Amino acid sequence: MPSPQQKTLFAIDPGATNWRLYRTVYELEGRRARMLSDPAPAPLTSFTERRLPAALVLNRSGDGLECYGETAVAQSENPTHRDRLRAYFKPAIGAHLLPSFPPQRQLYTHGDALAYTRLMLSALVEGIRQEKWRGGTFSDDVVFGFAHPVHWGTDEEGAVLGEFKAAVRESFPESDKPEVRFVSEPEAAIHSLRRSALLPADPSGRVTLILDVGGSTTDLVASELGAEEPVFLARFGGPVGGGLYDAAISDHIAQVLRIPFEALEKDVAIGFALRSVAQQMKEGLSRQLLHSREPTIIPQRTVTLVGAEGEVYRGTVELDEARFETITATVHSQFLDLFSHALEGMGLDESDIGRVVMVGGGSQLFSIVRYLRQRFGVQAILIADDPGEAVVRGVSLEYGADKAERRLSMLFMTGIEPAHKAAEAPAERWALISESGERTVLGSGASTIGRAASNTIPIFSEKISRWHAELIVARTGCSLKDQGSTNGTFLDGERLRAQEVAPVKDGTRIRFGDRSYILRRSAVEGNSRAT
């Protein structure tokens, strides 16, 4: 019988704002993996407080890396270097497939974002080799695990995830490519929460809602956790994360410093420096308000920035609760809309939810925590220990997960029907009927409509955007949302605004671009595809 093989797993969570690195040692015997050491942070000298800022400075020729992490962040105040500073590039990965996207996804092209990811990861891999592996080759004893957003595995039939995987593998030298694994962020968070005992069985049968507030997106996963294997019901996500709060605060700081809009357009690095200050002030205020309603010290900071042409912007910025709520009112409203829309899309009422478990870097934002506590009660809201590290810790645990846990990732793929409430579904259902009479029966939750083949209802027309609209079926009725389409979504002849959600009724006439339909209540079983 062969002797057991020892494996070292380096888990990496390449987040939008910060990257994290964990290390776990396993013993592998046959197909069974046994953990020899608990997952633990493995920071390098380039890390700050166990976090590696997602920033780099290109060399003068633009084809290589001069520095990265905290060293790169420091260059935001150096006008001679910051034209080569690149930061917050993850949100641009896959943005080329979207019909419209928020400003933070317009900073770079999809190709640039992948190239910067590859440059930074190459430097990180070399740092791991030198500091954690004594400069040797990785050989068969090393495994690397990478977290990724779950929708990358489904958008364009997995094209985004495929390109990310290729970029990761290209970051390792051809002569030394260890085993590489990829884990979706919701799956990783579940592994972490189950091991930390934050997901015990709930004999009441009520739903556990896992809320992952990231830098650029927020994901919700609904599950039933009984004594047996957990049942995962549905997931819902949207492009509203902690980074949008930072962007709103950074706009306020720019006004205080009287930075002209033209200067922000010409010097992207000023925007990065402002966002960094905004994030620090937001986190400082949140720490105070989560422990005390009336903070004794109002967070403030004197900010000095030098523009690309030598102009100096200086001012003192204060951020108390009242200012924060005013500055971030629009973004917070977007988050509340996303959360309510998610519950409706997943077919859940407040009474269905027994607890909300929060993970992600934005899960300690006081305004979000307060809203959830007011809506569900203080005892129902649980914040994971080190919530920003839940995903990377879960990637560390994935290698040794048993079969029941390992196959959970399939339940997050689009097209999987929620297991919950099937028996409660009404006899009548909504159906979309084309001009030719073809009927598409809608399932519960959100059905996406667009030209991309990965949509629930693909419509192959040049006048249809890749992700054109959504029809959301809930127990309370049906609603329609335009996804920022180019040629519009029309309800009875009136065009919806981008991202607008409108209720629809039996007999409503809907037009997507150049294709017209009628929405009907239907008792017809089965499903056909729109063309």
Side-chain angles (χ1 to χ4, degrees):
M1 178 180 295
S3 59
Q5 181 184 11
Q6 187 168 297
K7 294 269 191 178
T8 298
L9 170 64
F10 290 106
I12 299 173
D13 177 16
T17 305
N18 294 289
W19 288 20
R20 289 176 169 84
L21 173 67
Y22 264 57
R23 177 175 178 171
T24 314
V25 179
Y26 286 90
E27 184 179 78
L28 191 65
E29 188 169 3
R31 301 180 64 180
R32 183 180 181 82
R34 183 170 65 91
M35 200 184 309
L36 299 180
S37 68
D38 286 336
L44 308 178
T45 54
S46 53
F47 279 54
T48 301
E49 296 180 353
R50 303 195 299 187
R51 301 179 299 178
L52 179 67
L56 57 88
V57 173
L58 298 173
N59 60 20
R60 295 193 178 278
S61 61
D63 57 0
L65 193 66
E66 184 170 294
C67 61
Y68 71 109
E70 188 67 25
T71 304
V73 170
Q75 301 305 314
S76 64
E77 299 180 6
N78 186 336
T80 63
H81 288 172
R82 69 182 182 202
D83 61 321
R84 294 180 277 124
L85 176 66
R86 304 291 183 269
Y88 203 66
F89 39 82
K90 181 180 179 180
I93 296 178
H96 66 302
L97 300 175
L98 301 176
S100 63
F101 36 83
Q104 73 271 18
R105 293 189 173 185
Q106 300 178 23
L107 293 175
Y108 313 103
T109 67
H110 168 71
D112 286 341
L114 285 174
Y116 302 147
T117 298
R118 188 165 50 246
L119 279 173
M120 186 162 163
L121 181 55
S122 297
L124 179 61
V125 166
E126 184 57 29
I128 293 171
R129 183 197 308 278
Q130 297 299 328
E131 297 184 33
K132 306 299 182 186
W133 212 245
R134 299 179 294 279
T137 57
F138 292 128
S139 69
D140 294 335
D141 299 330
V142 179
V143 180
F144 280 82
F146 291 87
H148 66 83
V150 68
H151 65 86
W152 284 3
T154 56
D155 290 352
E156 289 293 289
E157 299 181 346
V160 178
L161 180 57
E163 292 185 35
F164 175 70
K165 287 181 176 180
V168 167
R169 292 186 173 113
E170 290 169 4
S171 304
F172 294 90
E174 284 295 330
S175 59
D176 189 12
K177 290 187 179 293
E179 179 185 350
V180 177
R181 306 169 69 89
F182 298 90
V183 188
S184 70
E185 291 170 358
E187 182 181 6
I190 290 165
H191 289 315
S192 179
L193 292 169
R194 293 188 72 186
R195 182 168 178 82
S196 64
L198 265 178
L199 290 183
D202 185 350
S204 71
R206 300 175 75 191
V207 172
T208 294
L209 197 63
I210 300 170
L211 178 64
D212 182 357
V213 184
S216 56
T217 59
T218 293
D219 283 314
L220 297 93
V221 177
S223 60
E224 283 183 343
L225 300 176
E228 303 298 328
E229 182 177 327
V231 176
F232 289 86
L233 314 175
R235 69 165 297 274
F236 200 100
V240 181
L244 290 186
Y245 289 85
D246 298 339
I249 299 170
S250 67
D251 287 344
H252 170 71
I253 297 173
Q255 293 176 19
V256 173
L257 270 58
R258 298 181 180 178
I259 302 176
F261 179 74
E262 296 76 14
L264 294 172
E265 276 192 319
K266 289 190 300 183
D267 192 350
V268 175
I270 286 184
F272 169 72
L274 290 171
R275 190 183 301 113
S276 178
V277 174
Q279 181 185 12
Q280 293 170 21
M281 298 190 72
K282 176 195 72 177
E283 292 177 350
L285 180 64
S286 290
R287 282 192 295 269
Q288 290 194 52
L289 291 176
L290 284 177
H291 294 90
S292 171
R293 182 70 184 179
E294 298 294 337
T296 56
I297 301 175
I298 297 177
Q300 66 176 21
R301 179 168 175 175
T302 300
V303 182
T304 302
L305 294 175
V306 180
E309 298 178 359
E311 61 274 33
V312 178
Y313 305 104
R314 180 180 292 110
T316 299
V317 182
E318 293 185 350
L319 188 68
D320 57 14
E321 182 178 358
R323 287 189 181 92
F324 178 91
E325 290 179 347
T326 300
I327 293 166
T328 65
T330 300
V331 176
H332 193 59
S333 177
Q334 292 173 355
F335 174 83
L336 301 187
D337 288 345
L338 168 65
F339 190 85
S340 296
H341 189 191
L343 295 189
E344 183 180 9
M346 293 190 291
L348 296 173
D349 293 329
E350 289 186 24
S351 59
D352 296 324
I353 297 171
R355 57 192 171 187
V356 180
V357 183
M358 302 183 65
V359 300
S363 62
Q364 292 180 304
L365 180 56
F366 78 92
S367 56
I368 293 178
V369 174
R370 280 186 182 172
Y371 163 73
L372 294 172
R373 286 174 174 172
Q374 291 169 0
R375 186 164 183 175
F376 298 100
V378 174
Q379 299 303 317
I381 309 304
L382 306 175
I383 302 177
D385 296 334
D386 295 324
E389 302 193 9
V391 167
V392 69
R393 190 184 301 114
V395 175
S396 295
L397 295 167
E398 191 271 349
Y399 190 77
D402 61 32
K403 291 182 180 178
E405 291 175 313
R406 287 285 299 280
R407 65 187 180 86
L408 294 180
S409 59
M410 293 304 296
L411 296 171
F412 296 101
M413 305 298 284
T414 56
I416 300 296
E417 289 289 335
H420 188 52
K421 302 189 182 301
E424 301 176 15
E428 289 190 326
R429 301 183 70 181
W430 292 92
L432 196 62
I433 303 173
S434 70
E435 291 181 306
S436 64
E438 186 172 4
R439 180 187 300 267
T440 298
V441 179
L442 305 175
S444 61
S447 295
T448 59
I449 296 125
R451 194 173 74 249
S454 57
N455 280 285
T456 312
I457 305 175
I459 303 177
F460 303 110
S461 167
E462 292 183 356
K463 298 295 184 180
I464 303 294
S465 299
R466 287 178 179 272
W467 285 272
H468 196 101
E470 281 186 350
L471 277 164
I472 304 102
V473 175
R475 283 174 293 174
T476 55
C478 185
S479 57
L480 176 66
K481 176 183 179 181
D482 180 81
Q483 295 280 62
S485 62
T486 301
N487 293 306
T489 300
F490 297 82
L491 266 183
D492 290 329
E494 294 189 11
R495 181 168 181 167
L496 297 181
R497 299 188 303 274
Q499 308 303 322
E500 178 183 0
V501 180
V504 293
K505 59 185 179 181
D506 183 35
T508 296
R509 294 185 177 275
I510 301 175
R511 177 158 61 87
F512 308 109
D514 61 351
R515 300 298 178 92
S516 297
Y517 299 84
I518 296 177
L519 195 69
R520 291 290 188 188
R521 293 285 293 183
S522 172
V524 177
E525 297 298 328
N527 192 17
S528 59
R529 296 179 73 86
T531 57

